Amino acid sequence: MALTVGLVLVAAGLVGCGGGAETNAHAEVITATPVPAVAQLVPAEVRTRGTLTAVMSVGNAPLHYPAPDGSGDMLGVDPDLAKALGEVMGLRVNVVGVTFDQIIPGLQSGRYDISVSQMSITPERLKVLDFVEYMRSGTGLGTRAGNPGQITVATMCGRAIAVSNGSVQQAKYLPALSAECEQRGQPAIQIRNFPDQQKGVLALVSGRIDAVFVDLPVLQYAAKNVPDIAVADTYEAGSPVGIGLNRGSTLTTAIQAGLTELRRNGVYARILAKWAVEANGLDTFTPRTKP
């Protein structure tokens, strides 16, 4: 019973009940106004439709996570940025939350217009998507407080490490690090897959795994709000993440211009400050369209 109660408290902490702006889902709603010069860059068919569908994964506070009231609304940095981006483009934004592995197929099929989901820009993804850089991120290695197993990125061999389905940690980082373990004659990393990053964190607290390998802002948020979680190490810290679009999308130029306007008018900085991720901001928003 004590473990069950503890996990409930951890889950509550991860969806934002701690008080400050970074944990307050009801903090100021930050809006932007249409900018005609940006709106003119929006493809005619999208302007006529008047809406933009932005997709993101669920379970990654404070970046993007479902509202705890069960309304289905998405809260966090990415929903706020997506809505403000649509506003400067003169569009209404529909925010959709899915599991991470549904995002790329949804973009390719035209179900979603853009992904605002802290997606790492990898050569493999650039074969099927275009990107516009919009924040810095990186990967964090999370352990129980005090790191009782003394685990670092260099000593994960043989350990049970959690990742989320479809993430760059699952697809690229951990397999490569595990292969290095085996090349050194050490046991492979035991990669444990979870539907989202917060479920991996809950598995860590329950003792089912040794550590988590997840987006650094998510882990920093968890460590700030849950006493039994610590950031033990980092990997690829400071790497840019991108807004994803289907390859060859005609929206790319408008997305870059919209982000530039949000930085100019201060909305970008205010949104990042609201969720306490100011250190992850960019000064310029570079399109990435080639592997």
Side-chain angles (χ1 to χ4, degrees):
M1 178 63 74
L3 177 60
T4 301
V5 172
L7 291 180
V8 170
L9 293 175
V10 169
L14 292 176
V15 295
C17 61
E22 73 276 14
T23 61
N24 184 359
H26 304 290
E28 176 191 8
V29 176
I30 300 169
T31 61
T33 56
V35 177
V38 177
Q40 286 300 312
L41 298 173
V42 177
E45 65 271 19
V46 180
R47 287 203 309 269
T48 300
R49 189 174 71 209
T51 60
L52 192 72
T53 300
V55 65
M56 56 198 63
S57 61
V58 296
N60 300 313
L63 303 174
H64 39 257
Y65 63 98
D69 61 7
S71 64
D73 294 337
M74 293 291 291
L75 304 175
V77 179
D78 290 330
D80 283 1
L81 280 175
K83 291 171 185 175
L85 183 59
E87 286 165 348
V88 298
M89 297 166 68
L91 302 171
R92 181 173 58 85
V93 175
N94 299 319
V95 173
V96 179
V98 299
T99 57
F100 194 91
D101 52 6
Q102 296 180 59
I103 292 176
I104 292 178
L107 290 170
Q108 291 178 303
S109 69
R111 182 178 303 169
Y112 315 123
D113 297 304
I114 62 174
S115 162
V116 190
S117 195
Q118 304 286 316
M119 191 176 284
S120 296
I121 304 168
T122 65
E124 295 77 17
R125 288 172 178 164
L126 281 166
K127 292 176 181 178
V128 294
L129 297 181
D130 292 338
F131 289 94
V132 180
E133 295 177 357
Y134 79 109
M135 282 183 66
R136 293 187 185 91
S137 187
T139 295
L141 176 69
T143 65
R144 301 288 291 269
N147 194 1
Q150 298 301 298
I151 305 171
T152 67
V153 170
T155 62
M156 291 192 291
C157 303
R159 306 282 192 159
I161 310 294
V163 292
S164 62
N165 292 335
S167 67
V168 69
Q169 293 88 3
Q170 180 200 48
K172 184 177 181 180
Y173 294 164
L174 270 194
L177 290 166
S178 184
E180 291 177 8
C181 291
E182 295 182 284
Q183 289 167 6
R184 296 194 300 266
Q186 296 176 282
I189 296 171
Q190 301 174 43
I191 302 174
R192 300 287 188 260
N193 303 312
F194 289 85
D196 60 61
Q197 299 188 50
Q198 284 174 207
K199 287 185 175 61
V201 172
L202 291 172
L204 171 64
V205 175
S206 71
R208 290 184 287 141
I209 55 171
D210 297 312
V212 295
F213 209 50
V214 298
D215 289 350
L216 184 55
V218 171
L219 182 58
Q220 290 169 329
Y221 177 88
K224 183 173 183 177
N225 287 280
V226 182
D228 199 26
I229 297 171
V231 181
D233 206 350
T234 62
Y235 186 77
E236 298 289 339
S239 301
V241 292
I243 291 178
L245 308 96
N246 195 23
R247 189 151 177 76
S249 173
T250 54
L251 270 167
T252 302
T253 301
I255 295 296
Q256 182 190 25
L259 288 168
T260 301
E261 173 60 25
L262 290 177
R263 188 178 185 282
R264 186 202 65 78
N265 64 21
V267 169
Y268 176 79
R270 290 170 59 203
I271 289 173
L272 268 58
K274 170 183 173 180
W275 298 100
V277 292
E278 303 98 315
N280 299 83
L282 294 176
D283 295 328
T284 57
F285 308 98
T286 305
R288 300 281 299 277
T289 59
K290 295 181 180 180

